[in-house]
Amino acid sequence: MTEARAKARTRPGESRFAQGFALFAECLLTGVWIAVAALPLVTYPAAFAAGARHLGRRMAHERGGWREFVADFRAAVRRGWLVGVAGWVALAVVWVDVRAVRDGLPGGPLVGAVGVLALIGAVVAGLRAAADWRPGASWRSLLAGAGRRTVLDPAGSFLLVGGLAVVVCSAWFSAPLAVAVLGAVAAAAVAVEKRHRGR
């Protein structure tokens, strides 16, 4: 079995460039899958978890496609939709906070900055939790562990913040481009979690 895995990873006859380009193309396709699965708005954690799991299989040269993505999405959305609702509530709280700052709340700039930073930290923790998701895993324990890793692994967290910034800039430039970049952020989250486990 170890020999089979080694052969699968090397893939004789295929250059590193070809493998890298194939992974890049898979990231773009996965971004589209994530965007479609996240259309109900509360399913975005499950969509991202399924996308990250798909890309994790691709990086390990394991088989898997649309059917496996859908199966993972169905498993993740059972409790993942609650995480999606909590995310929208957090966003609404920060939006109210920022509005209060604009209206001249005493000490507002500090409160607004803390709220925005907390939201960014929560988004990064959510990405890390989704990248670590496996069927049967508890979202609560995943988020607790991801919150700790977000603080204890600042390099990985800043990488994900950079990926999110690219998505936002892409959306500002062209919405379809942002959809494709979602897959690259999922791949980055998988790589960050793999790097952290290997430390």
Side-chain angles (χ1 to χ4, degrees):
M1 185 155 183
T2 311
E3 288 178 14
R5 281 186 181 173
K7 284 179 185 175
R9 283 185 181 146
T10 54
R11 288 197 180 184
E14 189 174 290
S15 69
R16 280 185 166 269
F17 175 77
Q19 289 180 10
F21 189 78
L23 180 59
F24 175 70
E26 197 69 33
C27 286
L28 299 182
L29 176 63
T30 304
V32 175
W33 291 355
I34 291 171
V36 170
L39 281 176
L41 298 182
V42 295
T43 57
Y44 64 89
F48 195 85
R53 193 155 155 76
H54 169 72
L55 289 171
R57 281 192 295 266
R58 181 65 178 83
M59 290 176 192
H61 299 292
E62 296 173 5
R63 294 191 66 181
W66 172 249
R67 288 181 182 176
E68 288 78 10
F69 174 87
V70 171
D72 284 336
F73 174 73
R74 285 180 178 165
V77 82
R78 286 188 192 119
R79 295 276 184 221
W81 70 270
L82 292 169
V83 179
V85 170
W88 286 113
V89 169
L91 181 63
V93 167
V94 171
W95 183 80
V96 169
D97 192 32
V98 170
R99 293 292 301 173
V101 168
R102 286 186 174 180
D103 292 340
L105 179 75
L110 177 62
V111 173
V114 168
V116 170
L117 287 175
L119 181 64
I120 291 170
V123 170
V124 169
L127 291 175
R128 295 186 81 140
D132 202 31
W133 178 85
R134 298 288 178 271
S138 160
W139 278 100
R140 180 176 292 181
S141 61
L142 285 172
L143 287 167
R148 286 190 295 273
R149 291 191 302 276
T150 298
V151 174
L152 298 175
D153 180 24
S157 298
F158 281 124
L159 175 67
L160 292 179
V161 169
L164 290 171
V166 170
V167 171
V168 171
C169 291
S170 300
W172 179 72
F173 182 71
S174 170
L177 184 60
V179 167
V181 172
L182 282 174
V185 175
V190 170
V192 163
E193 288 301 290
K194 186 176 179 181
R195 170 185 162 272
H196 184 77
R197 283 193 297 268
R199 289 170 65 186

